[in-house]
Amino acid sequence: MPKQLIIDGKPIEVEDGITLIQACEQAGVEIPRFCYHERLSIAGNCRMCLVEVQGSPKPVASCAMGVNDLPPNRDGSPKIINTKTPMVKKAREGVMEFLLINHPLDCPICDQGGECDLQDQAMAYGFGGSRFVENKRAVEEKYLGPLIKTAMNRCIHCTRCVRFTTEVAGVEELGAIGRGEDMEITTYLERGMMSELSANATDLCPVGALTHRPWAFIYRPWELRKTESIDVMDAVGSNVRVDARGREVQRILPRNNDAVNEEWISDKTRFVADGLRTQRLDQPYVRTDGRLKPASWDAVLDLVAAKLKTAQPERIGAIAGDLAGAEEMFALRDLLTQLGARNLDCRQDSTKLDPRRGRASYLFNSSIEGIEQADVILLVSTNPRLEAAVLNARIRKRWRQGCAVGLIGERADLTYPYEYLGAGPQTLRDVADGKHSFAAMLAEAKHPMVIVGSAAAARPDGVAVLSAAARIALGASRGKDASWNAFNVLHAVASRVAGLDLGFVPGEGGLDVAGMLSAARSGKLEVLYLLGADEFDMGHLDKVFVIYQGSHGDRGAQRADVVLPGSAYTEKSATYVNTEGRAQMTNRAAFPPGDAKEDWAIVRALSARVGRKLAYDSLSALRAALYKEVPALARLDRVEPASLAGVEALAAAGGALGSEPFQAAVRDFYLTNAIARASAVMAELSAMRKAAQQGTTGTHG
Amino acid sequence: MSVRRLFAEQPAAFAFSAENEAWAKATIANYPPGKGASAVIPLLWRAQEQHGGWLPEPAMRLVADMLGMAYIRVYEIATFYTMFQLSPVGKKAHVWVCGTTPCMLRGAEALVAVCKRRISEEPHSLSKDGNFTWEEVECLGVCANAPMVQIGRDTYEDLTPELLEKVLDGYAAGNPPQAGSQIGRQASCPAGGPTTLIDFAKADFTKARK
């Protein structure tokens, strides 16, 4: 039953069960708060959100008071809530004065300065001075790992960080020891936190107690140019804000998008920023006498053009990497098609996903937001905690509300308990045939979900595994909600869905990645164009002329004969499609270093030299052509449900299942791509995680 | 109360004795399955008793593992409750000196001075012979007989510095004095004997209200 309230003289009708602070927000009244956060449980310990409720002799903490808990007026008239009365003003000033008693006045040297809730609210709601003359409390610094820097004198005990790590991140490592004035936030014996989402706690910290250690003392927030963009470290497509100063990206912070990442991002997404500065390819190189030597753009483009012109089309190949945007893949595909080459592939891990079966056969069809409706989830050959950390937090959120999870594959700590069904395809077959008890659970579920990891599709029997999973999904959702598609592929890399959407796959009679590599070994391939492709063994490429276009000097560039320096995702506007098929666009936050160019423009310039000039000479013209061919990419930030026919085609594909146990796609969370491998922070985290897994304590790094 | 930290030198391991192990299992079984965390305080208390009156760090981990709790959660509890001693206590006695208002007004500060002189300058640190420790605590509920100290389960009341010395001498000699008031009064009856209804014959009942 909706509840009538009068907030600051304005009558409002609010829904049942919400809290007073939410009702005030709906009435357009701002309530200051420190401990309250809409995505965390209610603590009610900062007392900043006090409001005056008619009939209550004392001010009320609005975050902890439900509208249903307000006693009704005798005559049935709506309750009157006031937030601007002298009583509320005095209460806020009093709370603020208490909070500041032990808070140091070190704003000029504090990294939170300029974007600090305490600073802002002290200005807006505080009392001019302090009557406290005694000494302030002093608290020892804590070691919380290489990502979070502490200045515990500043802590106001809101416990947001403790609630975040326990509830959302799902690692019970942060806690509050001691009591009263001596309460301190720490981990058990100051071990570094073992979470992929740990640094979100620093965003939640309303003061400067937890700040980003890698970025300590290098910027002031008002110096930074803020650009809204998209993350490419995994296939979730988290919405981020890239903050740059001058030519350098200083930091990456999350943006709110309830449909994708809520307001969390993984530590890799956030702290990969230093990888954007190191190992950069900032000028073209040509291999002469076995060494890469700097060269001019003219020289390298002519050299590459000559190679492409002279080679037979069937002796040319191209592989698109994990961070490639849709635009450059489209341009390169067009160029190769015009040359008559058919050997092209965007599936570096040799996954058997095929766009010809239809879009639903390779998407996360239930959508990320849809996880919150699921009641039974079957994970196949995936470790979502490592492959899509933010998405895993969504599964955990759903599990907390009551959702059963089953796993076929490698055992791992997913931050929530699950029923372990088995290690290999045998179990998958049992579930598909209805022989396993979990099949009955799926059949009873209203909104079942089957999530297949990308590693499953990359196996030699990948088609059979996908087919079995599709059969389970179809069987479980038959006769239920017609708009619900239970089949989900969880991709691990950002470029894959766009690559499949625009058909960066072998043409008629063309070779896929495995085929190209074996052709390269046997000398049947003459020229191989790597568009940021680094994730395979370069030992296969001894006999082939390798063109590497990309942003970082990683495996591919080391082997290359010609290096064409491109842009990283923060330096160009490019389209990425996330695992659920949501097209999103990055924006340029900084310019690429040195002579590096935007990737689509490199391909365009090359096409002119080859004599097969592409029909677009601006990014907007390219996009017009792209959208004409692949309309799905034009619908930014929207998910169009894909036709179920794709899943049916997959289910019909069949095939013989192997016996090898399943594996997850990501081994080392922190080092999955060229940018992350260039980052010193990621290297440190990777080493820390390895040490912890080998049983050493991990204390002090 | 002050910041509580784990003691620097911790034993390498801790295990319940067979008897305590069985007791712990029975205690956990008192709670519904999956709610074992409710047993955390009794188990920690038993671990402290077994380990000579203080709670070592390996015991926190043991209890956490037994109850399926995260280590940090047990650590929070052990540091929150001041009756869990985080550093070694005296072999013969750990003295709680009540310092709350009634005791303070009746001379608790002089008792603290005795402890500082006889035991150690700082609370929670062992005397030279390792037999005694002391700390100042909040109200122990014997305000009528203030000032007082508590040692183990016994309270020693109506103390003066000299009487506290005697109590401590008794503990040092392994012969603790009788618990309760040290000036011989019964419970919290008036110290100098009864002050009312002393002489029944003198009572004038004519003034009593009708």
Side-chain angles (χ1 to χ4, degrees), chain A residues 381-408:
Chain A
S381 186
T382 181
N383 178 346
R385 184 174 174 183
L386 300 187
E387 286 166 38
V390 175
L391 187 143
N392 194 51
R394 191 79 79 128
I395 299 179
R396 180 180 155 78
K397 183 179 176 187
R398 183 62 192 152
W399 165 78
R400 275 161 55 85
Q401 297 162 348
C403 158
V405 182
L407 172 70
I408 304 176

mmCIF file of all heavy atoms in Angstrom, chain A residues 381-408:
data_model
loop_
_atom_site.group_PDB
_atom_site.id
_atom_site.type_symbol
_atom_site.label_atom_id
_atom_site.label_comp_id
_atom_site.label_asym_id
_atom_site.label_seq_id
_atom_site.Cartn_x
_atom_site.Cartn_y
_atom_site.Cartn_z
ATOM 1 N N SER A 381 32.289 -24.875 -17.266
ATOM 2 C CA SER A 381 33.650 -24.562 -17.687
ATOM 3 C C SER A 381 33.962 -23.074 -17.580
ATOM 4 O O SER A 381 34.490 -22.478 -18.511
ATOM 5 C CB SER A 381 33.868 -25.025 -19.129
ATOM 6 O OG SER A 381 35.220 -24.855 -19.486
ATOM 7 N N THR A 382 33.626 -22.508 -16.468
ATOM 8 C CA THR A 382 33.914 -21.087 -16.316
ATOM 9 C C THR A 382 34.212 -20.766 -14.862
ATOM 10 O O THR A 382 33.764 -21.472 -13.961
ATOM 11 C CB THR A 382 32.721 -20.227 -16.802
ATOM 12 O OG1 THR A 382 33.057 -18.842 -16.663
ATOM 13 C CG2 THR A 382 31.463 -20.503 -16.006
ATOM 14 N N ASN A 383 34.999 -19.744 -14.659
ATOM 15 C CA ASN A 383 35.221 -19.191 -13.334
ATOM 16 C C ASN A 383 34.870 -17.710 -13.447
ATOM 17 O O ASN A 383 35.730 -16.880 -13.730
ATOM 18 C CB ASN A 383 36.679 -19.387 -12.911
ATOM 19 C CG ASN A 383 36.952 -18.789 -11.551
ATOM 20 O OD1 ASN A 383 36.144 -18.014 -11.027
ATOM 21 N ND2 ASN A 383 38.071 -19.130 -10.978
ATOM 22 N N PRO A 384 33.604 -17.380 -13.281
ATOM 23 C CA PRO A 384 33.198 -15.986 -13.525
ATOM 24 C C PRO A 384 33.934 -14.987 -12.647
ATOM 25 O O PRO A 384 34.068 -13.823 -13.009
ATOM 26 C CB PRO A 384 31.701 -15.984 -13.230
ATOM 27 C CG PRO A 384 31.403 -17.251 -12.531
ATOM 28 C CD PRO A 384 32.468 -18.222 -12.891
ATOM 29 N N ARG A 385 34.435 -15.445 -11.497
ATOM 30 C CA ARG A 385 35.158 -14.513 -10.633
ATOM 31 C C ARG A 385 36.380 -13.948 -11.342
ATOM 32 O O ARG A 385 36.731 -12.787 -11.169
ATOM 33 C CB ARG A 385 35.582 -15.239 -9.352
ATOM 34 C CG ARG A 385 36.254 -14.336 -8.366
ATOM 35 C CD ARG A 385 36.533 -15.044 -7.064
ATOM 36 N NE ARG A 385 37.301 -14.177 -6.197
ATOM 37 C CZ ARG A 385 37.741 -14.527 -5.008
ATOM 38 N NH1 ARG A 385 37.486 -15.726 -4.542
ATOM 39 N NH2 ARG A 385 38.442 -13.696 -4.275
ATOM 40 N N LEU A 386 37.040 -14.781 -12.165
ATOM 41 C CA LEU A 386 38.220 -14.312 -12.876
ATOM 42 C C LEU A 386 37.885 -13.811 -14.274
ATOM 43 O O LEU A 386 38.542 -12.932 -14.808
ATOM 44 C CB LEU A 386 39.258 -15.432 -12.984
ATOM 45 C CG LEU A 386 39.771 -16.011 -11.670
ATOM 46 C CD1 LEU A 386 40.897 -16.981 -11.934
ATOM 47 C CD2 LEU A 386 40.245 -14.917 -10.731
ATOM 48 N N GLU A 387 36.850 -14.394 -14.899
ATOM 49 C CA GLU A 387 36.569 -14.043 -16.287
ATOM 50 C C GLU A 387 35.741 -12.765 -16.376
ATOM 51 O O GLU A 387 35.793 -12.066 -17.387
ATOM 52 C CB GLU A 387 35.839 -15.193 -16.981
ATOM 53 C CG GLU A 387 36.764 -16.353 -17.276
ATOM 54 C CD GLU A 387 36.011 -17.614 -17.649
ATOM 55 O OE1 GLU A 387 34.992 -17.520 -18.340
ATOM 56 O OE2 GLU A 387 36.441 -18.698 -17.227
ATOM 57 N N ALA A 388 34.940 -12.492 -15.364
ATOM 58 C CA ALA A 388 34.093 -11.294 -15.374
ATOM 59 C C ALA A 388 33.744 -10.983 -13.927
ATOM 60 O O ALA A 388 32.666 -11.313 -13.445
ATOM 61 C CB ALA A 388 32.834 -11.546 -16.195
ATOM 62 N N ALA A 389 34.684 -10.355 -13.236
ATOM 63 C CA ALA A 389 34.560 -10.195 -11.783
ATOM 64 C C ALA A 389 33.295 -9.433 -11.389
ATOM 65 O O ALA A 389 32.652 -9.762 -10.397
ATOM 66 C CB ALA A 389 35.802 -9.489 -11.246
ATOM 67 N N VAL A 390 32.937 -8.431 -12.169
ATOM 68 C CA VAL A 390 31.778 -7.619 -11.805
ATOM 69 C C VAL A 390 30.491 -8.412 -11.999
ATOM 70 O O VAL A 390 29.560 -8.346 -11.193
ATOM 71 C CB VAL A 390 31.765 -6.329 -12.646
ATOM 72 C CG1 VAL A 390 30.517 -5.535 -12.377
ATOM 73 C CG2 VAL A 390 32.993 -5.499 -12.352
ATOM 74 N N LEU A 391 30.479 -9.216 -13.069
ATOM 75 C CA LEU A 391 29.316 -10.067 -13.316
ATOM 76 C C LEU A 391 29.178 -11.106 -12.203
ATOM 77 O O LEU A 391 28.078 -11.454 -11.787
ATOM 78 C CB LEU A 391 29.477 -10.738 -14.680
ATOM 79 C CG LEU A 391 28.309 -11.535 -15.222
ATOM 80 C CD1 LEU A 391 28.229 -11.340 -16.732
ATOM 81 C CD2 LEU A 391 28.432 -13.006 -14.936
ATOM 82 N N ASN A 392 30.315 -11.582 -11.704
ATOM 83 C CA ASN A 392 30.278 -12.552 -10.613
ATOM 84 C C ASN A 392 29.645 -11.933 -9.365
ATOM 85 O O ASN A 392 28.914 -12.597 -8.632
ATOM 86 C CB ASN A 392 31.698 -13.031 -10.304
ATOM 87 C CG ASN A 392 31.701 -14.261 -9.434
ATOM 88 O OD1 ASN A 392 31.028 -15.233 -9.729
ATOM 89 N ND2 ASN A 392 32.440 -14.203 -8.335
ATOM 90 N N ALA A 393 29.926 -10.646 -9.152
ATOM 91 C CA ALA A 393 29.307 -9.961 -8.007
ATOM 92 C C ALA A 393 27.792 -9.938 -8.174
ATOM 93 O O ALA A 393 27.042 -9.993 -7.206
ATOM 94 C CB ALA A 393 29.851 -8.542 -7.882
ATOM 95 N N ARG A 394 27.334 -9.879 -9.431
ATOM 96 C CA ARG A 394 25.888 -9.873 -9.690
ATOM 97 C C ARG A 394 25.308 -11.255 -9.368
ATOM 98 O O ARG A 394 24.227 -11.362 -8.801
ATOM 99 C CB ARG A 394 25.663 -9.507 -11.157
ATOM 100 C CG ARG A 394 24.238 -9.218 -11.514
ATOM 101 C CD ARG A 394 23.824 -7.838 -11.093
ATOM 102 N NE ARG A 394 24.267 -6.799 -11.976
ATOM 103 C CZ ARG A 394 23.470 -5.875 -12.509
ATOM 104 N NH1 ARG A 394 22.175 -5.861 -12.229
ATOM 105 N NH2 ARG A 394 23.945 -4.942 -13.288
ATOM 106 N N ILE A 395 26.049 -12.315 -9.732
ATOM 107 C CA ILE A 395 25.565 -13.666 -9.400
ATOM 108 C C ILE A 395 25.515 -13.817 -7.886
ATOM 109 O O ILE A 395 24.565 -14.366 -7.329
ATOM 110 C CB ILE A 395 26.475 -14.747 -10.023
ATOM 111 C CG1 ILE A 395 26.495 -14.624 -11.543
ATOM 112 C CG2 ILE A 395 25.991 -16.140 -9.626
ATOM 113 C CD1 ILE A 395 27.389 -15.638 -12.234
ATOM 114 N N ARG A 396 26.542 -13.302 -7.212
ATOM 115 C CA ARG A 396 26.560 -13.391 -5.747
ATOM 116 C C ARG A 396 25.375 -12.634 -5.135
ATOM 117 O O ARG A 396 24.734 -13.112 -4.207
ATOM 118 C CB ARG A 396 27.867 -12.806 -5.216
ATOM 119 C CG ARG A 396 27.956 -12.877 -3.706
ATOM 120 C CD ARG A 396 29.226 -12.306 -3.154
ATOM 121 N NE ARG A 396 28.990 -11.874 -1.782
ATOM 122 C CZ ARG A 396 28.934 -12.692 -0.749
ATOM 123 N NH1 ARG A 396 29.138 -13.958 -0.907
ATOM 124 N NH2 ARG A 396 28.668 -12.237 0.458
ATOM 125 N N LYS A 397 25.092 -11.471 -5.716
ATOM 126 C CA LYS A 397 23.954 -10.681 -5.234
ATOM 127 C C LYS A 397 22.663 -11.507 -5.341
ATOM 128 O O LYS A 397 21.850 -11.533 -4.425
ATOM 129 C CB LYS A 397 23.847 -9.421 -6.095
ATOM 130 C CG LYS A 397 22.772 -8.448 -5.707
ATOM 131 C CD LYS A 397 22.849 -7.251 -6.660
ATOM 132 C CE LYS A 397 21.751 -6.246 -6.418
ATOM 133 N NZ LYS A 397 21.762 -5.204 -7.461
ATOM 134 N N ARG A 398 22.526 -12.184 -6.475
ATOM 135 C CA ARG A 398 21.341 -13.000 -6.695
ATOM 136 C C ARG A 398 21.336 -14.196 -5.736
ATOM 137 O O ARG A 398 20.289 -14.568 -5.210
ATOM 138 C CB ARG A 398 21.315 -13.478 -8.154
ATOM 139 C CG ARG A 398 20.090 -14.290 -8.516
ATOM 140 C CD ARG A 398 18.814 -13.484 -8.363
ATOM 141 N NE ARG A 398 17.649 -14.353 -8.433
ATOM 142 C CZ ARG A 398 16.488 -14.112 -7.836
ATOM 143 N NH1 ARG A 398 16.334 -13.022 -7.124
ATOM 144 N NH2 ARG A 398 15.498 -14.942 -7.949
ATOM 145 N N TRP A 399 22.510 -14.782 -5.502
ATOM 146 C CA TRP A 399 22.596 -15.913 -4.578
ATOM 147 C C TRP A 399 22.163 -15.492 -3.177
ATOM 148 O O TRP A 399 21.494 -16.244 -2.462
ATOM 149 C CB TRP A 399 24.034 -16.466 -4.544
ATOM 150 C CG TRP A 399 24.255 -17.367 -3.382
ATOM 151 C CD1 TRP A 399 23.853 -18.658 -3.256
ATOM 152 C CD2 TRP A 399 24.900 -17.034 -2.149
ATOM 153 N NE1 TRP A 399 24.194 -19.145 -2.031
ATOM 154 C CE2 TRP A 399 24.843 -18.170 -1.331
ATOM 155 C CE3 TRP A 399 25.508 -15.872 -1.651
ATOM 156 C CZ2 TRP A 399 25.369 -18.184 -0.041
ATOM 157 C CZ3 TRP A 399 26.029 -15.898 -0.383
ATOM 158 C CH2 TRP A 399 25.965 -17.036 0.409
ATOM 159 N N ARG A 400 22.500 -14.269 -2.769
ATOM 160 C CA ARG A 400 22.104 -13.799 -1.446
ATOM 161 C C ARG A 400 20.586 -13.683 -1.326
ATOM 162 O O ARG A 400 20.036 -13.769 -0.241
ATOM 163 C CB ARG A 400 22.739 -12.431 -1.163
ATOM 164 C CG ARG A 400 24.155 -12.532 -0.614
ATOM 165 C CD ARG A 400 24.915 -11.236 -0.784
ATOM 166 N NE ARG A 400 24.240 -10.089 -0.216
ATOM 167 C CZ ARG A 400 24.314 -9.703 1.057
ATOM 168 N NH1 ARG A 400 25.051 -10.379 1.891
ATOM 169 N NH2 ARG A 400 23.684 -8.628 1.473
ATOM 170 N N GLN A 401 19.933 -13.456 -2.489
ATOM 171 C CA GLN A 401 18.474 -13.376 -2.440
ATOM 172 C C GLN A 401 17.841 -14.760 -2.558
ATOM 173 O O GLN A 401 16.625 -14.888 -2.466
ATOM 174 C CB GLN A 401 17.965 -12.494 -3.590
ATOM 175 C CG GLN A 401 18.455 -11.064 -3.490
ATOM 176 C CD GLN A 401 18.341 -10.320 -4.804
ATOM 177 O OE1 GLN A 401 18.101 -10.901 -5.852
ATOM 178 N NE2 GLN A 401 18.535 -9.015 -4.767
ATOM 179 N N GLY A 402 18.669 -15.766 -2.833
ATOM 180 C CA GLY A 402 18.135 -17.113 -2.930
ATOM 181 C C GLY A 402 18.123 -17.624 -4.347
ATOM 182 O O GLY A 402 17.144 -17.474 -5.065
ATOM 183 N N CYS A 403 19.220 -18.190 -4.777
ATOM 184 C CA CYS A 403 19.335 -18.720 -6.131
ATOM 185 C C CYS A 403 20.360 -19.838 -6.054
ATOM 186 O O CYS A 403 21.395 -19.684 -5.419
ATOM 187 C CB CYS A 403 19.788 -17.610 -7.076
ATOM 188 S SG CYS A 403 20.571 -18.163 -8.582
ATOM 189 N N ALA A 404 20.031 -20.983 -6.635
ATOM 190 C CA ALA A 404 20.956 -22.122 -6.563
ATOM 191 C C ALA A 404 21.956 -22.037 -7.707
ATOM 192 O O ALA A 404 21.596 -21.646 -8.819
ATOM 193 C CB ALA A 404 20.181 -23.423 -6.648
ATOM 194 N N VAL A 405 23.203 -22.357 -7.426
ATOM 195 C CA VAL A 405 24.241 -22.328 -8.448
ATOM 196 C C VAL A 405 24.884 -23.706 -8.514
ATOM 197 O O VAL A 405 25.179 -24.318 -7.488
ATOM 198 C CB VAL A 405 25.318 -21.270 -8.122
ATOM 199 C CG1 VAL A 405 26.357 -21.223 -9.238
ATOM 200 C CG2 VAL A 405 24.697 -19.904 -7.924
ATOM 201 N N GLY A 406 25.053 -24.204 -9.725
ATOM 202 C CA GLY A 406 25.769 -25.461 -9.927
ATOM 203 C C GLY A 406 26.962 -25.226 -10.822
ATOM 204 O O GLY A 406 26.940 -24.314 -11.653
ATOM 205 N N LEU A 407 28.013 -25.999 -10.650
ATOM 206 C CA LEU A 407 29.216 -25.784 -11.454
ATOM 207 C C LEU A 407 29.692 -27.111 -12.037
ATOM 208 O O LEU A 407 29.821 -28.107 -11.331
ATOM 209 C CB LEU A 407 30.332 -25.175 -10.585
ATOM 210 C CG LEU A 407 31.717 -25.072 -11.241
ATOM 211 C CD1 LEU A 407 31.729 -24.022 -12.333
ATOM 212 C CD2 LEU A 407 32.784 -24.743 -10.217
ATOM 213 N N ILE A 408 29.931 -27.109 -13.343
ATOM 214 C CA ILE A 408 30.632 -28.218 -13.979
ATOM 215 C C ILE A 408 31.941 -27.639 -14.481
ATOM 216 O O ILE A 408 31.939 -26.722 -15.292
ATOM 217 C CB ILE A 408 29.843 -28.807 -15.166
ATOM 218 C CG1 ILE A 408 28.446 -29.227 -14.713
ATOM 219 C CG2 ILE A 408 30.587 -29.986 -15.762
ATOM 220 C CD1 ILE A 408 27.577 -29.738 -15.850
#
